[in-house]
Amino acid sequence: MEEPPAGQPVIATRALTKRYRGGQLAVDRLDLTVPRGSVFGFLGPNGSGKTTTIRMLMGLVTPTSGTARVLGEEMPRAGGRVLPRVGALIEGPALYGFLTGRDNLLRFDAADPSADPRTRAARVDRALARVGLTAAAGKKARAYSLGMKQRLALAAALLQPRELLVLDEPTNGLDPQGMREIRALVRALAAEGTTVFLSSHLLDEIEQVCTHAAVMSRGRLLAQGTVAALASSARSRLAVTTADTTDAVRVLKEHGVNDLQVTEDRVTGELPTGAPVDLAALNAALVGAGVRVRAFGAERASLEDAFVALTGEGFDVAG
């Protein structure tokens, strides 16, 4: 089958809605667009509808209304044609504990009718190497740590070349080194042309590895776009380091700086909107008022700032 045109989104939903029995609205008229070649981060607090959305995209759950197109075709109707072109790790690894890591992959590969049995062993070895499990390939999967199980499930998703890789919390259970390795793998896959759709509760992870992101809350899409654009949508904050925090707060307040917060010898605040702020004049006003300024500057807004501004939620946003 031909690939969708280069300009066509890899994932596109229109008014996608899922209402469960009893009236619970899990996803509410979602319009999501995932560009081809992107690493797309899917963020949302607990119960925001992320997992339900992923399950609808993969044809595991039928929408109540609306449409979901994956690789240019409507799901779940075209699942038989679409899913062989998609690798997925959803809701944790489903493995055979009594089999070794290698035997798990051999069984997964044998279940793929498009997989050439003559090259199966080479495919399995390559997938194990990509996720750093070659040395543990002969171990029973039940003896694997959670992080190793995550790696093995990811290897299963990478047995064949994929146009789209859907990962639900791919670094769950990994140590910091393992997280870095998975981030590097995601970047490498994207460089090879695979679009990666990545659900994560780790905002720092999304900011480091993703080119685009979407923020969900209570089943609704709050924002989507490039990570840079989403981060810049949050206001920059001014940071002043001084021993004279009380006087600094007074002067900054007089010059329109809002949401002032003091932590030991540091004062931060939200710069006023509207006309550009003359930071040099603001610094001079502090010094003129006798404030001993040791450090002064505007801090770049982060994706976390944007997320908190959009959802009102803190950093722990698993869902």
Side-chain angles (χ1 to χ4, degrees):
M1 179 171 293
E2 291 183 6
E3 289 189 4
Q8 186 179 75
V10 169
I11 294 172
T13 71
R14 295 295 173 263
L16 187 66
T17 301
K18 180 62 183 179
R19 189 183 292 274
Y20 286 109
R21 231 175 254 176
Q24 179 199 353
L25 188 60
V27 177
D28 186 7
R29 299 185 60 80
L30 175 64
D31 290 342
L32 189 68
T33 303
V34 177
R36 175 169 290 276
S38 63
V39 180
F40 196 99
F42 201 38
L43 283 166
N46 205 11
S48 64
K50 288 187 308 172
T51 298
T52 299
T53 298
I54 290 172
R55 290 174 68 82
M56 285 192 284
L57 292 174
M58 294 295 96
L60 300 171
V61 170
T62 303
T64 303
S65 60
T67 61
R69 299 185 73 84
V70 177
L71 299 175
E73 302 212 50
E74 191 167 338
M75 292 292 286
R77 188 174 61 196
R81 292 190 299 274
V82 170
L83 293 180
R85 301 154 66 195
V86 178
L89 170 56
I90 302 172
E91 293 187 330
L95 305 171
Y96 298 100
F98 60 92
L99 294 179
T100 66
R102 177 176 280 108
D103 286 342
N104 264 279
L105 295 190
L106 288 169
R107 180 165 290 199
F108 289 139
D109 194 78
D112 183 348
S114 69
D116 183 348
R118 294 170 299 180
T119 53
R120 179 161 295 141
R123 262 194 311 280
V124 166
D125 287 344
R126 188 166 56 247
L128 286 165
R130 291 204 83 172
V131 300
L133 280 180
T134 300
K139 248 192 200 180
K140 294 278 175 66
R142 64 169 165 253
Y144 278 18
S145 67
L146 177 57
M148 291 169 72
K149 288 176 180 176
Q150 286 288 102
R151 290 170 183 265
L152 187 60
L154 185 53
L158 296 173
L159 283 166
Q160 295 278 15
R162 308 292 183 180
E163 292 175 51
L164 172 64
L165 191 60
V166 177
L167 305 176
D168 191 8
E169 301 286 350
T171 58
N172 186 34
L174 296 180
D175 59 21
Q177 176 62 26
M179 292 170 69
R180 283 192 294 272
E181 289 169 1
I182 295 300
R183 283 198 295 266
L185 176 58
V186 166
R187 291 190 191 101
L189 289 165
E192 293 167 11
T194 301
T195 303
V196 182
F197 185 83
L198 187 157
S199 165
S200 177
H201 72 280
L202 301 173
L203 287 159
D204 183 56
E205 178 175 82
I206 295 289
E207 194 154 24
Q208 284 190 54
V209 80
C210 293
T211 59
H212 296 69
V215 179
M216 295 279 289
S217 182
R218 297 184 179 88
R220 293 194 166 195
L221 179 69
L222 299 185
Q224 67 180 318
T226 66
V227 167
L230 288 173
S232 67
S233 68
R235 292 187 194 176
S236 296
R237 289 185 68 82
L238 180 71
V240 180
T241 303
T242 176
D244 308 313
T245 54
T246 303
D247 289 334
V249 166
R250 175 180 54 78
V251 174
L252 293 174
K253 191 178 292 185
E254 288 170 357
H255 285 76
V257 180
N258 305 306
D259 188 27
L260 288 157
Q261 297 173 18
V262 179
T263 308
E264 295 180 352
D265 63 347
R266 195 164 183 267
V267 180
T268 62
E270 198 171 85
L271 290 167
T273 56
V277 178
D278 186 338
L279 293 178
L282 193 51
N283 189 25
L286 287 165
V287 173
V291 176
R292 292 166 291 174
V293 177
R294 292 209 307 273
F296 176 94
E299 296 179 331
R300 183 181 68 85
S302 67
L303 187 61
E304 181 182 356
D305 296 325
F307 182 89
V308 172
L310 286 164
T311 66
E313 303 251 353
F315 194 79
D316 186 11
V317 293

